[in-house]
Amino acid sequence: MNDSSMEPTTSINRLPAPPKSGRWIVPGLGLFQGLMVAGRNMFESYYKKERMTTIQYPEQRAPISPNFRNFPFLCYDKDPVAGLRCTACSICENECPPKCIYIVLDRDENGKSLKRPKVFDIDISVCMNCGICAEVCPFDSIYMDGEYELSNDDRFSGLLLGLDRLSKSAEYHMQLRPEEASEVMARRKADEEKKAAAQAAKEAKAKADKEAKEKAAAEAQAATEQKGESA
Amino acid sequence: MISDPSMFSPPPALEAGPDDDQLLRVSLGPQHPSTHGVFRMNVVLDGETVVSLKPVFGYLHRNHEKIAESVTYLSSMPYTDRLDYICPLTNNWAYASAVEKLAGIEVPERAEYMRIILGELTRLINHTAFAGFILGDMGAWGSALMYAFREREKILDLFEDVTGARMMSNFMRFGGCRNDLPAGWADKVSVLVDGYGPFLDEMEKFLLGNEILLVRTRDVGQLPKEVLINGGITGPMLRAAGVNYDIRKVEPYGIYDRFSFRIPLGEKGDCYDRIMIRFLEMRESLKILRQALDQLPEGPFINPKTKIRNFKPPVGEAYARIEGPKGELGFHLISDGTVNPLRYRIRPPSFINLTLLEDMCLGLDLADVVIILGSIDIVLGEVDR
């Protein structure tokens, strides 16, 4: 590097550069043009429909976008406890970037997993609304809410949402995001049908096996009886 | 480390020297409105002239790189939104492309187009906000910023429709994007693109003919090309000085080689050129947007083979860079085959462009320092990380 090139500019010509095009013929013309723009913008804000966008907030509300996300909620079918889709698998807990989810798995007295959360807390003072928990959940359990009026005078327990405040029904989800919810419902229904069909098939197979076994046993018995008779 | 008392001694520029009784030491910032965030400059003045300028930053340090090394690859994505919070989608894009390079993931056609559209809209946002802020730095706080933010808000509404949030988008994924564009969204962008040209005309009429602006920005903050290149300056700062270097052309990432657009170049590299070049770049962005909207194909928006949960790229190293609105934004990742990166490093354009601040300011007035700082277009979220 050349040393002289490192020297900063020290002398500055404070006079404006000579005009290139016709812009500088009248001194102050640029300023006047700018003022015209500002003036037009000011008057337009009084009569142009697209400029009058103020919404009187507590009385009126702007519609929220269907993709809008704020804080997560847990989805349940029908019953808030038994119908909770969450299986406490802790995937969201591990993937959560600020680690604001806390899950404890519910177990029965023998220590066997009940596949449901005993504690499911989300600290929304830490949550960064990213939606990764909703994205990674394999059980269609956690979704992003659109609720935004969450101010609270209790900054500790008021902002720590537990199961009681997080659980929301599938109907609420349907209302919030009809497209996504109906897709999920259709998939769950198909899965359930598949499961039921598999279960039925399994049962039928078991039944058939049982029948076959019984038949074979009966035949064997009959054969032995026959043998005995013949003997 | 922390017990070392020298860490708490005042910065050198504030200590009185033996022979400089006539010099005035000013601590400009960190709560100064024209420092674009919490940034402090220890300026030594001789009368009005700057004799020395030492930047002090780190007030907004959030340990981003270390956090990213302790969480999964996907979990770092929302943190990248908070780097340069004016343009989150280009940050997402740079990080996603680094991981794609690391793991060898292909991106489907539609996702590439979506990225181009969102990335160029982000460039519009950044340069529009810049035009508003630079006027604020010159003391014209109000009108220009409000006009710029009015248009910016329209784009942010479009972002909210797609990503779910105005600014914290968290949208790009490894191998595509998180969700598809909503129905009718592309038409809304077309309407916006058509209306943006007239807005730029109005803004240019409002700003660029203004004599006060011309006097305060012409020949202010010039540096020779060689110094800029040696200092690692990229983006509009470098191109304003007439160096033809844009990663979209030099090393076309994504599908930028399919679009026809030009790279505007400045002549002198003073603050006026830096403002002007951003206006010209916005017009080029509009060209790219029109072409991309015309060609937007149907298809998958994400590579279906990519794993969302338990994503583990192979052992290796990758550096991917994109032309962010402020300059070259790069992510350097080293993977050891586990769920979190072994090393995660960002090359932030604002931070590196800021390194020549003192060279640009020496010998000028204190009022020029504020304009030069504004013309670099820094965002402290990215400088401090």
Side-chain angles (χ1 to χ4, degrees):
Chain A
M1 196 198 297
N2 190 348
D3 270 351
S4 64
S5 66
M6 281 295 286
E7 273 180 23
T9 325
T10 42
S11 65
I12 293 173
N13 180 14
R14 275 312 198 158
L15 293 169
K20 273 186 201 162
S21 50
R23 196 182 265 167
W24 279 77
I25 294 171
V26 185
L29 186 68
L31 268 176
F32 184 70
Q33 267 186 354
L35 275 176
M36 291 291 282
V37 172
R40 199 176 64 237
N41 268 288
M42 190 186 88
F43 286 114
E44 274 178 358
S45 70
Y46 285 101
Y47 69 89
K48 269 207 167 177
K49 262 270 151 31
E50 70 265 24
R51 292 286 306 278
M52 294 192 279
T53 51
T54 307
I55 289 171
Q56 303 296 332
Y57 163 59
E59 290 83 30
Q60 300 171 354
R61 265 145 222 262
I64 62 169
S65 142
N67 273 337
F68 174 71
R69 58 187 147 83
N70 204 359
F71 292 113
F73 69 93
L74 289 173
C75 204
Y76 64 82
D77 299 310
K78 287 160 198 155
D79 185 67
V81 178
L84 202 64
R85 293 176 185 170
C86 180
T87 59
C89 67
S90 295
I91 290 178
C92 52
E93 195 183 14
N94 293 333
E95 288 283 346
C96 176
K99 308 285 179 214
C100 68
I101 304 179
Y102 177 70
I103 302 174
V104 175
L105 179 67
D106 201 5
R107 292 174 187 278
D108 61 8
E109 59 271 20
N110 301 327
K112 192 170 168 277
S113 160
L114 290 174
K115 284 198 173 177
R116 65 165 188 241
K118 188 177 175 187
V119 180
F120 195 111
D121 286 342
I122 293 183
D123 190 346
I124 59 168
S125 60
V126 174
C127 177
M128 57 204 252
N129 327 94
C130 64
I132 281 183
C133 50
E135 208 171 312
V136 297
C137 182
F139 300 103
D140 307 315
S141 167
I142 192 161
Y143 289 106
M144 298 310 280
D145 205 344
E147 197 184 337
Y148 51 88
E149 285 162 329
L150 292 158
S151 51
N152 204 303
D153 56 4
D154 181 0
R155 69 194 169 110
F156 299 110
S157 57
L159 294 175
L160 184 71
L161 305 189
L163 267 176
D164 51 335
R165 284 171 73 187
L166 283 172
S167 305
K168 284 176 184 175
S169 66
E171 286 79 43
Y172 176 79
H173 183 216
M174 188 64 100
Q175 208 182 338
L176 190 72
R177 287 200 198 93
E179 269 180 43
E180 186 193 64
S182 48
E183 193 192 310
V184 168
M185 288 303 257
R187 196 174 67 234
R188 284 182 71 82
K189 213 174 170 186
D191 278 0
E192 257 168 40
E193 275 167 13
K194 224 174 171 180
K195 227 177 177 178
Q199 186 71 26
K202 208 177 163 188
E203 273 170 18
K205 206 185 164 207
K207 209 176 166 188
D209 282 357
K210 209 178 165 189
E211 273 173 11
K213 245 182 207 168
E214 274 170 11
K215 210 177 168 186
E219 270 172 16
Q221 210 178 356
T224 48
E225 274 169 19
Q226 227 171 24
K227 237 182 198 174
E229 267 174 29
S230 66
Chain B
M1 295 261 281
I2 292 175
S3 60
D4 179 9
S6 67
M7 278 188 75
F8 299 106
S9 61
L14 285 179
E15 283 172 1
D19 297 324
D20 48 14
D21 296 341
Q22 296 300 310
L23 299 182
L24 178 69
R25 287 163 202 82
V26 179
S27 172
L28 189 63
Q31 286 95 10
H32 194 273
S34 69
T35 53
H36 296 247
V38 276
F39 177 65
R40 188 167 127 216
M41 288 169 280
N42 284 327
V43 191
V44 180
L45 297 172
D46 181 5
E48 271 283 300
T49 315
V50 177
V51 176
S52 138
L53 186 149
K54 296 284 175 236
V56 183
F57 44 78
Y59 292 95
L60 210 57
H61 181 59
R62 304 177 307 285
N63 222 344
H64 171 62
E65 290 178 1
K66 191 65 196 168
I67 288 174
E69 284 163 17
S70 63
V71 296
T72 60
Y73 282 87
L74 178 63
S75 301
S76 313
M77 188 61 87
Y79 285 111
T80 61
D81 297 336
R82 278 117 177 120
L83 279 176
D84 178 357
Y85 42 77
I86 301 278
C87 30
L89 279 155
T90 44
N91 299 339
N92 284 183
W93 190 359
Y95 176 54
S97 54
V99 176
E100 279 153 14
K101 208 169 175 181
L102 187 64
I105 302 168
E106 291 211 345
V107 184
E109 192 91 331
R110 185 177 170 83
E112 290 279 22
Y113 275 94
M114 283 162 68
R115 285 180 177 188
I116 296 264
I117 292 171
L118 291 166
E120 291 303 321
L121 283 175
T122 307
R123 201 180 306 280
L124 285 183
I125 284 190
N126 182 64
H127 291 354
T128 311
F130 166 84
F133 283 134
I134 189 88
L135 261 279
D137 290 344
M138 283 176 219
W141 186 260
S143 305
L145 188 70
M146 287 301 120
Y147 300 164
F149 271 46
R150 194 178 65 207
E151 296 302 311
R152 173 176 173 262
E153 205 62 33
K154 289 179 190 167
I155 304 181
L156 290 180
D157 283 349
L158 291 173
F159 280 1
E160 189 178 331
D161 285 350
V162 181
T163 67
R166 284 167 68 246
M167 289 167 81
M168 298 300 131
S169 55
N170 180 24
F171 186 62
M172 310 277 177
R173 287 290 173 268
F174 317 134
C177 300
R178 191 181 61 207
N179 51 279
D180 207 352
L181 302 176
W185 188 79
D187 302 328
K188 281 191 203 166
V189 181
S190 299
V191 172
L192 181 114
V193 168
D194 290 340
Y196 222 81
F199 161 70
L200 290 181
D201 293 342
E202 188 188 40
M203 203 71 179
E204 277 184 10
K205 205 172 166 187
F206 184 56
L207 300 182
L208 303 177
N210 189 321
E211 281 84 354
I212 300 173
L213 182 137
L214 289 171
V215 175
R216 291 208 58 189
T217 56
R218 280 222 172 134
D219 301 324
V220 172
Q222 270 174 298
L223 277 184
K225 278 182 197 179
E226 296 76 35
V227 179
L228 290 172
I229 292 170
N230 289 335
I233 308 292
T234 47
M237 279 272 289
L238 182 65
R239 291 195 289 274
V243 182
N244 189 359
Y245 182 76
D246 187 314
I247 300 167
R248 290 177 292 174
K249 288 283 188 193
V250 174
E251 190 191 291
Y253 54 94
I255 49 167
Y256 267 113
D257 44 356
R258 295 187 198 173
F259 303 106
S260 77
F261 61 100
R262 300 177 67 188
I263 303 298
L265 294 180
E267 288 164 11
K268 287 185 186 167
D270 54 3
C271 288
Y272 183 78
D273 278 1
R274 287 183 203 140
I275 299 171
M276 199 63 207
I277 202 135
R278 284 173 167 106
F279 275 90
L280 296 171
E281 272 191 16
M282 279 197 268
R283 294 191 186 276
E284 296 300 321
S285 285
L286 291 177
K287 271 190 208 167
I288 300 175
L289 277 171
R290 283 207 189 89
Q291 294 171 44
L293 286 167
D294 284 346
Q295 299 170 14
L296 183 67
E298 292 297 318
F301 55 86
I302 188 164
N303 189 338
K305 286 177 198 159
T306 329
K307 278 171 85 179
I308 301 175
R309 289 175 285 273
N310 208 11
F311 174 78
K312 286 179 189 167
V315 181
E317 188 172 346
Y319 177 75
R321 56 183 190 164
I322 68 165
E323 180 71 33
K326 293 181 169 65
E328 175 183 336
L329 173 64
F331 280 77
H332 182 198
L333 298 171
I334 302 179
S335 159
D336 55 353
T338 54
V339 287
N340 22 336
L342 182 70
R343 185 75 180 93
Y344 175 103
R345 158 98 187 126
I346 306 160
R347 186 221 184 270
S350 320
F351 175 61
I352 292 174
N353 289 355
L354 193 60
T355 50
L356 289 185
L357 179 67
E358 187 181 9
D359 299 272
M360 282 188 273
C361 294
L362 287 183
L364 302 190
D365 292 352
L366 182 63
D368 293 330
V369 171
V370 170
I371 297 176
I372 292 169
L373 183 70
S375 76
I376 300 174
D377 193 13
I378 57 163
V379 161
L380 263 291
E382 195 173 60
V383 173
D384 294 341
R385 303 193 295 290

